Amino acid sequence: MEPTFIAILVASIIGFFAFMYFVPVNLWITAVFSGVRVNLFQLVFMRIRRVPPSTVVNSLITATKAGLELTADDLETHYLAGGHVPSVIRALISANKANIQLSFKQATAIDLAGRNVFEAVQTSVTPKVINTPPVAAVSQDGIQLIAKARVTVRTNIAQLVGGAGEETIIARVGEGIVTSIGSSGNHKEVLENPDGISKLVLAKGLDAGTAFEILSIDIADIDIGENIGAKLQTEQAQADLKIANAKAEERRAMAVASEQEMISKAQEARAKVIEAEAEIPKAISAAFNNGNLGIMDYYRMKNIEADTDMRDSISKGEGG
């Protein structure tokens, strides 16, 4: 009898804990006394569908005490879809207390989209400050200015699903700062009136299509960078100088080539003269043979040549 009794006792204990696991009576009692209507078999089916009954029931109790009209099926469906039920309930309660229009359908859609819906509601109640990285821009006088801005935003619940995030806000604000500084006549105007940047950027409607509403844009700091205009002018002057040197070198090379060509032509002409002079003795010899030139004529020609050479030497001596 004793082994049988022990087996029955163990089976009874196991059956009791199995019954308490699949039939959470204590949770059902808590829900009933909290004013939440939940069927006991519904809790059993939640356990079979691997939905934690405590998560659904406790969230439903919290929502009911806060005046929200939700059902267990709504919360169970959202849990099975992969949502965070407690976060959605907290967001709905916060939105209700802050008079923010947020339906259960919107909250679940935001949660399933991967955003923290409770944090989004908190940002709607308490605005958030986004610090932009340093943005470098150049005014029309060529001076570079480096600005930092603080953007105060709050969540736009209606555009939270599908709206752009903080990165888009930072990029658009940076673009607006560059445009504002670039349209300034000189950097002194920007340093004297930094609020002009805020007004110009804020008037562009940068929060269109984003999940945020921009409340204000404040310029936190402006530093003077490099003189970009002077640097560009210096680089342009150096480039122009290199171009001028290249063109001058080209002209010099062309002049040298032309000079060499003229020297070549002069040498060619001198060669022709020497060649012509070489024909003179032949012509004189032919003139002797033909009787066209006498011996006296030849002597007179030699005397003229000698006289000419002498005069040339005398003139060169006086010139030296």
Side-chain angles (χ1 to χ4, degrees), residues 168-191:
T168 302
I169 293 291
I170 294 174
R172 290 182 180 180
V173 171
E175 180 184 356
I177 292 174
V178 172
T179 303
S180 177
I181 294 177
S183 61
S184 301
N186 57 72
H187 68 286
K188 295 181 180 179
E189 296 179 358
V190 180
L191 295 176

Side-chain angles (χ1 to χ4, degrees), residues 43-267:
L43 298 179
V44 175
F45 292 147
M46 286 184 191
R47 185 73 73 182
I48 295 174
R49 288 190 289 266
R50 296 184 179 181
V51 176
S54 59
T55 301
V56 175
V57 172
N58 291 332
S59 298
L60 190 59
I61 292 173
T62 304
T64 303
K65 292 298 182 181
L68 301 178
E69 295 182 359
L70 298 175
T71 64
D73 291 334
D74 295 333
L75 302 184
E76 185 180 1
T77 301
H78 184 61
Y79 181 86
L80 291 174
H84 302 84
V85 175
S87 178
V88 171
I89 297 301
R90 290 199 304 270
L92 289 173
I93 294 173
S94 299
N96 186 32
K97 299 301 181 182
N99 293 324
I100 298 175
Q101 295 295 330
L102 179 64
S103 64
F104 178 75
K105 184 177 180 180
Q106 286 179 316
T108 54
I110 294 170
D111 184 53
L112 293 177
R115 296 181 180 272
N116 191 327
V117 61
F118 180 64
E119 182 180 347
V121 173
Q122 285 184 323
T123 306
S124 297
V125 177
T126 304
K128 178 180 180 181
V129 177
I130 301 174
N131 293 316
T132 65
V135 179
V138 181
S139 59
Q140 294 182 4
D141 60 353
I143 303 299
Q144 182 188 53
L145 297 176
I146 303 173
K148 297 179 182 178
R150 289 191 179 97
V151 186
T152 304
V153 299
R154 67 181 176 190
T155 304
N156 189 346
I157 299 294
Q159 296 183 356
L160 193 59
V161 177
E166 295 184 11
E167 293 79 5
T168 302
I169 293 291
I170 294 174
R172 290 182 180 180
V173 171
E175 180 184 356
I177 292 174
V178 172
T179 303
S180 177
I181 294 177
S183 61
S184 301
N186 57 72
H187 68 286
K188 295 181 180 179
E189 296 179 358
V190 180
L191 295 176
E192 291 174 357
N193 301 300
D195 58 330
I197 300 177
S198 303
K199 294 178 181 178
L200 181 61
V201 175
L202 193 59
K204 289 181 176 293
L206 303 178
D207 53 4
T210 65
F212 299 96
E213 178 185 354
I214 297 179
L215 301 179
S216 66
I217 299 176
D218 304 309
I219 303 301
D221 185 28
I222 297 181
D223 295 327
I224 298 178
E226 299 179 354
N227 191 338
I228 302 297
K231 185 178 180 180
L232 292 176
Q233 290 178 356
T234 302
E235 293 178 354
Q236 185 63 42
Q238 293 177 353
D240 293 341
L241 179 61
K242 291 180 180 180
I243 293 174
N245 290 335
K247 291 182 178 180
E249 181 64 23
E250 181 181 1
R251 289 193 297 270
R252 188 192 68 80
M254 292 178 64
V256 171
S258 178
E259 181 183 2
Q260 294 296 326
E261 184 179 359
M262 295 302 295
I263 292 174
S264 177
K265 290 182 178 180
Q267 291 178 350

Side-chain angles (χ1 to χ4, degrees), residues 8 85 107 133 139 268 279 300 304 312 317:
I8 294 173
V85 175
S139 59
E268 183 180 357
E279 296 294 330
R300 279 195 296 271
I304 292 171
D312 291 338

